[in-house]
Amino acid sequence: MALQLGEIVASLGGELHGDPGLAVQGLAPLESAQADQIAFLSNPRYRQQLAASLAACVIVAPALRDEARARGACIVADDPYLYFARLTQLWKRTHARAGEPDIHPSAVVHPQAQVAPGVRIGALSVVERGARIGAGTVLKARVVVSEDCVIGERCILHPGVVIGADGFGFAGGPGHWEKIEQLGAVRIGDDVEIGANTCIDRGALADTVVEDGVKLDNLIQVAHNVRIGRGTAIAACTGIAGSAVIGANCTIGGAARIQGHISIADGTFVSTGTFISRSIQKPGMYTGVFPMDDNASWEKNAAALKQLYALRERIKALEKKS
């Protein structure tokens, strides 16, 4: 089903230049869009693709208004990337498939679980006793929400997500490990999205908590009693050890490693592959990659590395004197 440009602007705002009745049949990247599709340009580095694009309409920033108008229809928005994101949502809503059951026949929902109206539960998913799922939330295929865990409203849990498996808790005994029963649960706020095969462990005593608006990528491990603050986004393959507290509106790059029992300040940016081994009290961008070595050598080199800047300044001072 096509959307007319006038319908798009009526729903999302923006400044339309062109025929409101012009219909688009799909969304596409600028360089590959066809004459019946809509595209966007947010990075000025790609402006050379604008004139050559076949797109029926291009979403651009005010600075590119004249260039876009010279090639054809355009929608001018302050943030084209954000506008395009909202357009994808509009497109999905208007092209939703009708007639699909809210709960797939192969899903298992315990009679004592609470599932709000409008929840969709995919094939082979399991919702255990005492779990609560908020209105408008979607569980894709093979999602597990373990007993007494809480999922807020309008969340999306992608295939293979496991909420509320036991945290990794064991006490060392003579020659064996003694299991520590994990008696807490997981509490997830509203508008949270969790990528495929991500696991969030239940707390040992208190709950593991994921606050409103958090976005988690695929293959993330969130250990027991972690707390992730509102609006934080974490990329794939990150591992977060037990009882770490991540602040609000943080961005964590892929394959980051976060030590347990530390805290990260609100608004912190952690680069891809970085190991956070101590608390971060001041927001900013943090990066750290250090080669593997035997532990004793690694500790000596790490200690020396911390002194490099001070040593450089001392050498520069000595050079000036000489």
Side-chain angles (χ1 to χ4, degrees), residues 208-228:
T208 302
V209 176
V210 178
E211 295 184 0
D212 294 349
V214 167
K215 310 301 179 186
L216 303 180
D217 200 356
N218 302 337
L219 296 166
I220 292 172
Q221 164 62 19
V222 180
H224 56 187
N225 299 109
V226 165
R227 188 177 194 100
I228 301 176

Side-chain angles (χ1 to χ4, degrees), residues 180-195:
I180 300 171
E181 293 295 344
Q182 304 295 287
L183 305 179
V186 176
R187 287 187 287 118
I188 294 174
D190 299 334
D191 303 301
V192 171
E193 185 158 351
I194 302 174

Side-chain angles (χ1 to χ4, degrees), residues 235-291:
C237 297
T238 292
I240 306 170
S243 298
V245 177
I246 300 174
N249 301 309
C250 294
T251 303
I252 312 294
R257 296 161 294 157
I258 298 174
Q259 184 81 297
H261 299 275
I262 66 168
S263 60
I264 296 177
D266 295 350
T268 295
F269 188 101
V270 175
S271 297
T272 298
T274 295
F275 175 41
I276 303 298
S277 59
R278 64 182 187 275
S279 291
I280 296 174
Q281 307 296 343
K282 180 181 178 182
M285 184 172 181
Y286 293 82
T287 304
V289 179
F290 201 71

Side-chain angles (χ1 to χ4, degrees), residues 17 28 35 44 53 71 74 107 112 130 154 172 177-178 180 197 208 215 228 247 256 289 296 312 316 320:
H17 298 272
S53 178
R71 64 156 299 281
C74 67
Q112 294 180 23
R154 301 174 301 280
W177 295 96
E178 199 74 36
I180 300 171
N197 294 321
T208 302
K215 310 301 179 186
I228 301 176
V289 179
R312 187 187 74 167
K316 286 170 65 176
K320 286 181 179 180

Side-chain angles (χ1 to χ4, degrees), residues 105-178:
S106 65
V108 178
V109 179
H110 194 281
Q112 294 180 23
Q114 298 178 34
V115 178
V119 169
R120 291 171 49 204
I121 301 177
L124 302 174
S125 289
V126 177
V127 180
E128 295 186 349
R129 180 179 58 191
R132 289 181 284 155
I133 314 292
T137 284
V138 177
L139 311 185
K140 302 285 190 175
R142 296 183 182 273
V143 171
V144 176
V145 180
S146 298
E147 59 183 12
D148 299 323
C149 293
V150 178
I151 313 293
E153 298 182 355
R154 301 174 301 280
C155 296
I156 303 173
L157 279 61
H158 289 280
V161 166
V162 177
I163 305 297
D166 277 359
F168 192 66
F170 298 91
H176 74 287
W177 295 96
E178 199 74 36

